Amino acid sequence: KSILNELVEAKEGKMIPLRHSEFWTAMFVLVFVSSGLLVIYKSVSLKETAISVVAFIASMSLLSVFTAFMNEITFLGTDKISLISIIGMYAFVLVQGLSIFSASSYSRFKIVCLILANVGAPFIFMLISELLRDITGRTFFGGHSPEPEFWLGILAYFVVFMPLFRNLYMRSQALPKN
């Protein structure tokens, strides 16, 4: 009976890791991203959402091919090339999404870029911090873990990015369609 009780206790401890912050952080990210995707889906059409999903998958596939190619011809290493490429791609889609402010007509490309920028916004501080850690050995806050930058990104998303993106989605829907 004691062996069976030990097995049950060990199994319960592994099934629901109540004391592991990594598990709860992963659960939070899963819920956060899912709710963010629902907000995006409510703000744009199904067609634009589907195009964004395909664009995300295609861009990540092209990014992996680009990273492998650049790894062969440069000395930077796969991690740095990947981080630089992701940050560069994020900067491109963010600028394209923000150009809706000055747009005179509706552009599906800009909406797709805005959706991709919206999905990546909470993680950009963490990615920049990881690149800084790869280059200097330290993150923004001096530690070796990117966790504070992750939570800073979540806070920045709720305070700055979410209202900005909501405004851009509404503005894009008001633009004349050609």
Side-chain angles (χ1 to χ4, degrees):
K1 183 178 177 181
S2 65
I3 292 173
L4 187 58
N5 284 338
E6 288 178 19
L7 286 173
V8 169
E9 287 175 13
K11 186 69 172 175
E12 286 178 2
K14 289 183 181 178
M15 292 295 284
I16 303 174
L18 296 175
R19 295 187 181 124
H20 299 295
S21 65
E22 295 87 13
F23 173 77
W24 293 111
T25 302
M27 287 286 105
F28 174 79
V29 168
L30 181 65
V31 170
F32 177 75
V33 169
S34 299
S35 64
L37 292 175
L38 286 174
V39 168
I40 291 170
Y41 175 72
K42 288 185 69 159
S43 300
V44 296
S45 70
L46 178 61
K47 188 174 186 178
E48 290 162 340
T49 305
I51 291 171
S52 297
V53 169
V54 171
F56 178 75
I57 293 169
S59 62
M60 287 296 118
S61 299
L62 289 174
L63 184 69
S64 64
V65 170
F66 175 75
T67 300
F69 176 73
M70 291 303 290
N71 190 36
E72 293 296 322
I73 63 173
T74 64
F75 59 90
L76 293 175
T78 306
D79 292 340
K80 288 179 189 162
I81 293 170
S82 295
L83 287 170
I84 291 169
S85 301
I86 290 171
I87 292 168
M89 186 172 58
Y90 182 77
F92 173 77
V93 297
L94 183 63
V95 167
Q96 290 299 316
L98 291 175
S99 70
I100 291 174
F101 275 128
S102 62
S104 59
S105 65
Y106 181 83
S107 170
R108 182 167 281 134
F109 174 74
K110 291 180 182 181
I111 299 299
V112 169
C113 287
L114 181 62
I115 292 170
L116 295 176
N118 191 354
V119 170
F123 308 106
I124 195 64
F125 290 115
M126 185 176 67
L127 291 173
I128 292 171
S129 177
E130 279 297 307
L131 180 62
L132 183 66
R133 186 177 61 84
D134 280 350
I135 293 171
T136 65
R138 299 182 65 200
T139 58
F140 283 137
F141 295 114
H144 295 287
S145 171
E147 193 170 319
E149 288 83 2
F150 169 74
W151 293 112
L152 175 67
I154 297 294
L155 178 68
Y157 179 77
F158 282 117
V159 172
V160 176
F161 289 116
M162 194 165 89
L164 174 68
F165 290 141
R166 187 179 313 132
N167 187 3
L168 286 168
Y169 287 127
M170 288 189 295
R171 171 143 171 75
S172 70
Q173 297 304 318
L175 291 171
K177 294 178 174 59
N178 292 334

